[in-house]
Amino acid sequence: MDKYMVTGMSCAACQARVEKAVKEVDGVTSCSVNLLTNSMGVEGNVSKDKIIKAVEDAGYGAKLMDDIGKEPSSMDFSREEEILKDRETPILKKRLILSIGFLLVLMYFSMGHMMFKFPLPAFFVGNPVANGIIQMVLAIIVMVINKKFFISGFKGLMHRAPNMDTLVALGSSASFVYSFVALLLMTDAVIKGNMEKAFSFSHEFYFESAAMIVTLITVGKMLEAMSKGRTTDAIKGLMKLAPKTATIIKADGTEKTVAIDEVKIGDIFVVRPGENIPIDGIVIEGNSSVDESALTGESIPCDKYEGAEVSAATINQSGFIKCRATRVGRDTTLSQIIQMVSDAAATKAPIAKIADRVSGVFVPTVIGISLITIIIWMILGEDFGFALARGIAVLVISCPCALGLATPVAIMVGNGIGARNGIMFKTAASLENAGKTQIVALDKTGTITKGEPVVTDVFSADSISKSGYTCSNYSSFDDELLVLAGLLESKSEHPLAKAIVKHINDLHIEFDEDIVDFRAIFGKGLEAKLGDSIIRGGNREFISSFARIQGEMLEKADTYASEGKTPMFFARDNKLIGIIAVADTIKEDSEKAIAELKKMGIKVVMLTGDNEKTATAIGKKAGVDEIFAEIMPDGKAKVIDRLSKCGKVAMVGDGINDAPALTVADTGIAIGAGTDIAIDAADVVLMKSSLLDVAGAIRLSRKTLKNIHENLFWAFFYNVIGIPLAAGCYIKLFGWALSPMFGAAAMSLSSFFVVMNALRLNLSNIYDSSRDRKKVNTVNIDNVKNEIKIDLEENKMTKKMMIEGMMCAHCEANVKKALEALEGVENAQVSHEKGEAIVSLSAEVDNDILKKAVEDKDYKVTSID
């Protein structure tokens, strides 16, 4: 998408005019103009010069955003800051001060003397012509100060694209011209000596209205500009976070402070306590605690150690760290966040099309209503001055600006709130659609669960009592089971071994002895000597050949297995001493997040390639409504496609295999810690990788959509009520009449109210679930599961591989990953208990290739059918 800065727009009619002009250019596939940021996004195969010419021919100015500020590779966001810079408020403030000064003098001469008997200089006493001339001169001065309304308004009229300025210009000009004619007639009466008639024309002067109209509109414009500036505070705040310098290590080992643009990928930089991290990188030396709240919204500092990633604009709180730059310029996380928020501002929400259609015909319609109003009142016998006043009131009370701002201001504020909380909406449409979600589909591994094995249970033989089970309480660090398990597993590279070792290290258990004659029995377990004893650890089959597993220990092992955990057995001298269960555990906030989604009336389903048993155990604990297990990567997309026929679906995932499903879903939500491919395919990115942010994103979308509806209602209601009032429709019924001045005041405040209402969103807490209203969800997915199973089994090519050496769920994961990395392999269902892998193919894959992939992981393939 090419982005342009558009100048000269004043209302929704201008926006509609620019969009129409650009869309008519051959080669343009889409165009979105944002009145709030005065920006335009254009897609299509067309030259930039043609786009700019189309805008200029429509009566406005345009400039390619890349031509503003520095080069795109720079981390100096001067281009975006130039777009968002509030140039209007200082100019409008100066205009307003001057206008009010001259207007007060004008009101003194026009109304102060007549209504309140304020004294006038002797020259003006009894001299109506002089009084009229001074009023005219003062009105001209105020109108010249606010000449922009007249230039823009009449320019739009000449281009047959009238806008809000046209309404103001016509209303003010009509008041002035009518008053000027009255002044000429007054002069003629004075020349003829008819002073009574001359004084009667004083009541026909509307010079103060001509000046008051443009002054009051300027008041509204300034309030609107100030409020609009606040809507972009979030993105401007992000831009201010961009570091300006970095301290790099030169080849000779000395430090040098350089401009951020000079840092290259691979450069070594250092960050001291209290300093901002200047660029994205990986820690290569040192440990520290880093405040990442600016990017993720997470207030708790994150520990950083060797190998950990750091991001630009985060704050190093404690230790000295040395890092290697991995992403620079516009590729940093901060830059991508700013780009996402900026791009979202350049797009248009579907709901905005309602206002766009109205805005395109609004101003011409109002002008027509104004003329009809004047004619009707004259037909009814009123004098021209009265009829003209009603017509002018219609012109100046009508406000297309409120319509044009109703959607973009709410979208901008909503995006800003999301950015502050680490929730990135890529487009305005994604912000709108997220709130309409009826079904949330969650990937299991890395989304609901942590995606890495951890120790979940420790059950020693000493934990068995007459009353039942009692978990080991680690009351003593010399607990025999933990010590023996630590000694054995510390010698192994198996994923389960690493989980056990980490768990023991976290307990700060120290080993006074060491083992000898360590031996790994392929696919079964570990064995070693400890003093005069032989210690062993492994699966049930391996340990049962040396020690008896019975009674409560056997029952406990079966319970762990039914919960989707992998029980590891440990024995000493042919005596079972205990079980340690390892599993991929649910994230701390997953259950709460899923409960919140269900409270909002959303059905939650889980998608996973795991076997039914494991998936059911995880799904049941997480609290999801439905589980789709043993789903291959392309099968996820098919599930989402089928679910989308039942209702609006949001897919949440983090892996490469989730990308197709994220694309198919109505709203794709990527966990921020996931892969770049998943993030690229998604509509929403969660920087904190927390499922609570899924509920937060939907809640924010709903609040934003509600705010847009309020804004649109106010804009339409205001015009529907205000225009008939200004036209005098209620005079006969209630005696209500509206002067042009009050009409102008109402018009100036309407847009201000819309913007202020949008700013109310900043008071919202998107994580507060207490006010969630459960939407009625009539979605029925009961039959989808069976239909999907039938779909996935059709035309499936499969091969059955018998494999030796697998002993746990993480062996299954290793084999599964190796097979699914092969081209032509869609999915691999692996079972260590059966010693097999069922491979689903999209194309023929040679058996030797399948065998090599598995045996490269140190497992043995015995047959392929």
Side-chain angles (χ1 to χ4, degrees):
M1 177 187 290
D2 294 319
K3 294 169 71 176
Y4 298 80
M5 181 178 178
V6 181
T7 57
M9 294 191 298
S10 62
C11 68
C14 299
Q15 172 185 295
R17 172 69 176 168
V18 173
E19 277 191 5
K20 183 180 179 182
V22 174
K23 284 178 178 176
E24 289 176 352
V25 177
D26 290 338
V28 173
T29 56
S30 71
C31 172
S32 176
V33 179
N34 191 309
L35 180 64
L36 177 64
T37 58
N38 292 317
S39 61
M40 175 176 69
V42 181
E43 291 183 350
N45 186 19
V46 61
S47 71
K48 315 297 186 292
D49 293 337
K50 285 185 179 180
I51 299 294
I52 293 172
K53 185 178 185 301
V55 176
E56 291 175 345
D57 288 345
Y60 306 89
K63 188 174 184 180
L64 191 65
M65 207 178 289
D66 283 344
D67 295 336
I68 304 170
K70 296 191 177 185
E71 293 299 315
S73 61
S74 168
M75 266 195 71
D76 186 341
F77 296 96
S78 54
R79 292 185 303 154
E80 286 84 355
E81 288 181 286
E82 185 73 13
I83 296 295
L84 298 173
K85 187 177 180 181
D86 184 6
R87 301 180 194 79
E88 288 186 82
T89 302
I91 297 172
L92 289 169
K93 185 177 181 181
K94 186 177 180 181
R95 271 170 47 186
L96 183 60
I97 292 171
L98 291 171
S99 297
I100 290 175
F102 286 104
L103 180 63
L104 289 174
V105 179
L106 172 56
M107 295 299 290
Y108 185 92
F109 276 93
S110 65
M111 301 181 71
H113 171 67
M114 188 179 299
M115 295 178 64
F116 306 106
K117 307 302 180 182
F118 291 159
L120 289 175
F123 177 74
F124 294 97
V125 177
N127 190 345
V129 174
N131 193 290
I133 291 173
I134 191 66
Q135 289 184 46
M136 181 183 71
V137 171
L138 289 168
I140 290 173
I141 292 172
V142 175
M143 292 167 76
V144 169
I145 291 171
N146 295 282
K147 61 183 182 295
K148 183 179 180 295
F149 291 126
F150 300 93
I151 295 170
S152 171
F154 289 117
K155 187 178 180 182
L157 201 58
M158 287 187 291
H159 281 88
R160 291 183 296 176
N163 52 38
M164 189 207 76
D165 289 344
T166 304
L167 300 178
V168 176
L170 287 175
S172 181
S173 298
S175 297
F176 181 86
V177 170
Y178 181 79
S179 303
F180 180 70
V181 172
L183 180 59
L184 293 178
L185 294 174
M186 175 189 281
T187 304
D188 180 65
V190 169
I191 292 172
K192 292 177 180 179
N194 189 346
M195 294 303 293
E196 183 179 350
K197 185 177 181 181
F199 276 107
S200 70
F201 280 113
S202 297
H203 300 288
E204 301 298 322
F205 287 163
Y206 287 95
F207 287 122
E208 76 281 358
S209 292
M212 181 72 81
I213 287 169
V214 293
T215 302
L216 289 174
I217 298 300
T218 301
V219 172
K221 282 285 186 183
M222 192 182 79
L223 291 174
E224 180 186 320
M226 293 169 65
S227 302
K228 281 162 62 177
R230 289 180 60 190
T231 66
T232 58
D233 283 349
I235 187 170
K236 286 186 284 193
L238 286 171
M239 290 173 183
K240 290 177 183 177
L241 293 174
K244 302 294 186 292
T245 61
T247 302
I248 63 171
I249 305 295
K250 296 168 62 178
D252 60 3
T254 60
E255 295 183 7
K256 180 183 179 182
T257 300
V258 299
I260 203 69
D261 294 338
E262 296 179 30
V263 181
K264 299 178 179 61
I265 293 177
D267 283 352
I268 306 299
F269 62 92
V270 296
V271 189
R272 292 176 170 78
E275 293 182 346
N276 280 5
I277 293 172
I279 214 82
D280 287 8
I282 293 178
V283 178
I284 60 173
E285 184 180 314
N287 298 284
S288 184
S289 180
V290 175
D291 178 2
E292 297 184 332
S293 59
L295 298 186
T296 66
E298 178 57 67
S299 58
I300 301 174
C302 185
D303 291 334
K304 299 295 179 181
Y305 41 81
E306 189 174 327
E309 294 184 353
V310 292
S311 299
T314 56
I315 302 172
N316 181 23
Q317 289 192 326
S318 52
F320 174 89
I321 54 174
K322 187 181 292 185
C323 312
R324 178 180 291 105
T326 55
R327 288 187 287 194
V328 298
R330 297 274 161 162
D331 293 328
T332 63
T333 302
L334 174 66
S335 299
Q336 290 174 350
I337 290 173
I338 293 174
Q339 191 64 46
M340 273 192 276
V341 178
S342 179
D343 286 348
T347 59
K348 186 168 292 185
I351 196 172
K353 293 176 183 178
I354 300 172
D356 289 348
R357 285 194 292 269
V358 176
S359 301
V361 296
F362 185 85
V363 176
T365 302
V366 168
I367 294 173
I369 293 173
S370 177
L371 292 173
I372 292 171
T373 299
I374 295 172
I375 294 169
I376 290 175
W377 279 114
M378 291 187 70
I379 292 173
L380 292 174
E382 297 290 346
D383 60 62
F384 182 71
F386 180 88
L388 181 64
R390 305 284 74 75
I392 292 170
V394 168
L395 288 175
V396 297
I397 200 172
S398 308
C399 189
C401 276
L403 286 171
L405 291 172
T407 300
V409 292
I411 292 292
M412 179 63 81
V413 175
N415 266 307
I417 295 170
R420 287 199 301 271
N421 290 280
I423 301 171
M424 305 298 153
F425 295 92
K426 290 188 178 179
T427 63
S430 62
L431 177 54
E432 178 182 336
N433 291 334
K436 299 176 183 178
T437 299
Q438 297 170 290
I439 304 168
V440 169
L442 304 173
D443 173 52
K444 181 183 77 73
T445 307
T447 302
I448 294 178
T449 65
K450 295 178 179 178
E452 57 184 28
V454 295
V455 171
T456 58
D457 301 270
V458 176
F459 191 77
S460 67
D462 294 335
S463 298
I464 300 175
S465 68
K466 293 181 181 179
S467 59
Y469 302 137
T470 306
C471 290
S472 176
N473 57 14
Y474 313 125
S475 58
S476 172
F477 280 165
D478 63 354
D479 185 284
E480 182 182 18
L481 173 58
L482 290 172
V483 170
L484 295 185
L487 288 170
L488 270 176
E489 304 296 350
S490 63
K491 304 294 184 181
S492 173
E493 293 299 317
H494 195 280
L496 293 185
K498 292 179 180 179
I500 292 173
V501 171
K502 181 180 183 304
H503 178 75
I504 293 172
N505 288 339
D506 289 343
L507 294 174
H508 305 292
I509 294 177
E510 296 180 1
F511 306 124
D512 296 329
E513 304 176 84
D514 199 2
I515 57 176
V516 294
D517 297 338
F518 173 81
R519 187 165 65 99
I521 294 88
F522 184 68
K524 294 183 178 182
L526 309 172
E527 182 181 273
K529 281 187 178 181
L530 177 63
D532 296 329
S533 301
I534 296 178
I535 57 175
R536 296 181 178 88
N539 60 25
R540 181 187 301 183
E541 180 187 358
F542 175 60
I543 297 299
S544 62
S545 61
F546 299 97
R548 294 180 66 185
I549 305 174
Q550 59 184 2
E552 295 178 77
M553 292 298 286
L554 185 60
E555 187 178 338
K556 196 66 175 176
D558 291 338
T559 300
Y560 291 148
S562 67
E563 293 172 350
K565 302 171 184 177
T566 300
M568 302 288 290
F569 299 81
F570 294 88
R572 181 171 188 167
D573 290 333
N574 300 332
K575 179 184 177 183
L576 184 68
I577 58 173
I579 303 170
I580 297 179
V582 179
D584 183 7
T585 57
I586 294 177
K587 291 179 180 178
E588 291 79 1
D589 54 14
S590 290
E591 292 178 62
K592 181 181 178 183
I594 291 168
E596 286 188 9
L597 289 170
K598 292 169 73 173
K599 182 182 175 184
M600 295 164 73
I602 297 170
K603 291 190 181 294
V604 184
V605 303
M606 184 180 81
L607 309 181
T608 178
D610 285 350
N611 62 66
E612 190 80 32
K613 187 177 180 180
T614 302
T616 300
I618 295 292
K620 185 177 180 181
K621 185 175 181 181
V624 298
D625 293 308
E626 189 57 83
I627 300 163
F628 294 89
E630 301 179 12
I631 302 294
M632 61 187 69
D634 72 323
K636 289 184 180 180
K638 291 181 181 178
V639 172
I640 298 299
D641 182 58
R642 184 58 63 89
L643 288 173
S644 65
K645 294 175 183 177
C646 301
K648 295 288 185 181
V649 182
M651 169 67 192
V652 185
D654 69 329
I656 292 175
N657 61 348
D658 296 325
L662 291 171
T663 304
V664 171
D666 296 291
T667 303
I669 303 177
I671 296 292
T675 65
D676 289 340
I677 293 175
I679 291 172
D680 289 342
D683 302 299
V684 185
V685 178
L686 309 180
M687 302 302 295
K688 283 186 288 189
S689 301
S690 169
L691 273 188
L692 284 173
D693 282 347
V694 175
I698 294 173
R699 198 174 286 121
L700 174 59
S701 174
R702 287 184 178 180
K703 289 178 182 290
T704 304
L705 201 56
K706 181 182 177 183
N707 193 274
I708 290 172
H709 288 149
E710 291 170 349
N711 288 345
L712 286 174
F713 172 79
W714 164 253
F716 281 113
F717 176 78
Y718 165 83
N719 285 294
V720 168
I721 298 298
I723 291 175
L725 176 63
C729 294
Y730 309 129
I731 290 177
K732 298 295 183 182
L733 290 173
F734 309 107
W736 295 347
L738 190 73
S739 74
M741 288 184 290
F742 284 108
M747 179 187 188
S748 67
L749 292 175
S750 62
S751 297
F752 174 69
F753 287 150
V754 165
V755 177
M756 291 305 293
N757 185 52
L759 289 173
R760 279 193 316 110
L761 279 170
N762 284 307
L763 303 176
S764 303
N765 179 2
I766 64 172
Y767 297 109
D768 181 8
S769 62
S770 62
R771 296 186 179 181
D772 286 343
R773 295 176 62 185
K774 188 169 184 176
K775 289 189 175 184
V776 178
N777 194 340
T778 57
V779 171
N780 186 356
I781 60 174
D782 293 340
N783 297 324
V784 173
K785 191 169 184 179
N786 290 332
E787 293 173 359
I788 288 171
K789 280 188 175 181
I790 294 171
D791 287 347
L792 297 180
E793 288 172 1
E794 288 181 355
N795 302 319
K796 185 192 291 183
M797 293 186 292
T798 61
K799 289 189 178 183
K800 183 177 181 180
M801 302 177 65
M802 300 307 296
I803 303 170
E804 289 183 355
M806 296 189 296
M807 58 180 290
C808 66
H810 296 281
C811 293
E812 292 178 357
N814 283 338
V815 173
K816 181 180 176 70
K817 184 176 180 180
L819 289 170
E820 290 181 352
L822 298 175
E823 185 176 354
V825 176
E826 287 188 349
N827 177 255
Q829 298 299 326
V830 185
S831 170
H832 74 279
E833 294 170 343
K834 297 179 181 178
E836 68 178 22
I838 306 299
V839 185
S840 300
L841 307 171
S842 59
E844 184 61 38
V845 180
D846 190 87
N847 288 350
D848 290 338
I849 295 176
L850 294 172
K851 183 177 180 180
K852 184 177 186 303
V854 173
E855 294 190 342
D856 282 348
K857 295 295 181 180
D858 297 327
Y859 302 98
K860 184 179 180 181
V861 177
T862 57
S863 68
I864 301 178
D865 297 325

